[in-house]
Amino acid sequence: GNTLNALGRHEDAAEIHRRIIDRVVRRDGERSEEALAAMTNLAISLDAAGRKEEGNALRVRVYELSHGFFPDDHPGFQIVRRNYAVCLVEQGKYQEALSILEKLRRDQLASLGAEHLGTAETNMLLAMAYEDAGHHQLAAEARAAAAESFARIHGPDNDRALRCALALVYDLTALGRPDEAAAVTRQYFGHPPDPRKLAIIGKTPADILPEVLERL
């Protein structure tokens, strides 16, 4: 099913995941690791097929089934919680999403550590939720942590590291800290900003704010 999804055959993938869910639920019930994993895979296929509302409804169901079934440090449940938080953000339920994400980050720092990819992904999502909720300083802190982790894990040309870094440049400028924004620009994009690195995330040097460029 996952291979078909990767090949772009999303409806075929979804049908396979449905068959798995049906068989596993009949055998073990909905509250089993295999059933919950298949539901998550089905949600991914539904998203890719353009049926995001169905995919999100399934993610909510997976969260409801997983809550209280897995311990907080279970890697699979940590992914389930992050997926559920994404659904909440998309519904505009920022405070509820932030409550889940902040608890998730604490659990991941304790069980996985600050440099784990899962922790970095949570920080990236936290930054988006903080920004949407108007908490710009907290958004900048989470983005800084995510950018540093992605760069260490995947290298300085990683697209997620660069996206987080550029968003951090905008955050710091909006917070009235253009000197810090310039330092982040030098760190991730060079001096002058490297067009090749910016192209990785679909940007050009013109996307760097003038007040930042003049401080490079």
Side-chain angles (χ1 to χ4, degrees):
N2 290 336
T3 301
L4 288 170
N5 205 43
L7 291 170
R9 295 171 57 185
H10 308 306
E11 293 292 354
D12 292 337
E15 180 56 32
I16 286 178
H17 293 312
R18 285 193 187 90
R19 292 181 195 172
I20 294 170
I21 293 166
D22 181 60
R23 292 174 185 176
V24 174
V25 168
R26 279 191 280 112
R27 187 188 69 200
D28 301 326
E30 284 185 306
R31 277 194 162 189
S32 70
E33 287 202 44
E34 195 173 352
L36 294 168
M39 290 180 197
T40 298
N41 287 332
L42 174 56
I44 293 169
S45 296
L46 290 170
D47 278 355
R51 295 157 64 182
K52 192 167 185 61
E53 193 170 316
E54 291 177 66
N56 281 346
L58 192 53
R59 286 189 177 90
V60 172
R61 179 61 178 156
V62 170
Y63 175 79
E64 292 169 346
L65 290 167
S66 300
H67 190 58
F69 178 70
F70 293 116
D72 286 347
D73 61 355
H74 187 283
F77 184 44
Q78 290 179 351
I79 294 171
V80 166
R81 290 153 73 191
R82 190 164 60 241
N83 288 342
Y84 177 58
V86 171
C87 297
L88 293 173
V89 169
E90 291 176 353
Q91 294 169 8
K93 298 178 180 178
Y94 302 120
Q95 291 307 315
E96 191 175 347
L98 286 172
S99 177
I100 288 173
L101 288 170
E102 288 170 341
K103 173 69 164 59
L104 174 58
R105 181 170 60 181
R106 291 194 298 271
D107 292 340
Q108 288 178 315
L109 287 171
S111 62
L112 303 176
E115 299 308 313
H116 193 277
L117 180 60
T119 310
E121 290 172 339
T122 297
N123 270 321
M124 182 175 66
L125 183 56
L126 252 176
M128 296 165 59
Y130 278 137
E131 186 173 60
D132 288 339
H135 304 315
H136 302 297
Q137 174 59 38
L138 292 173
E141 292 171 5
R143 278 207 177 96
E148 290 173 8
S149 295
F150 285 134
R152 276 195 285 267
I153 294 167
H154 293 304
D157 290 348
N158 176 256
D159 64 322
R160 290 194 288 186
L162 296 174
R163 288 184 195 282
C164 287
L166 186 58
L168 176 58
V169 169
Y170 294 155
D171 289 340
L172 292 170
T173 305
L175 288 165
R177 294 151 59 185
D179 290 331
E180 292 177 59
V184 171
T185 303
R186 284 193 297 271
Q187 178 184 352
Y188 287 94
F189 299 102
H191 175 219
D194 186 345
R196 180 189 62 83
K197 282 199 165 190
L198 286 161
I200 292 172
I201 55 174
K203 302 294 184 179
T204 70
D207 291 300
I208 305 294
L209 301 170
E211 56 265 51
V212 174
L213 286 173
E214 68 186 21
R215 287 171 168 80
L216 291 178

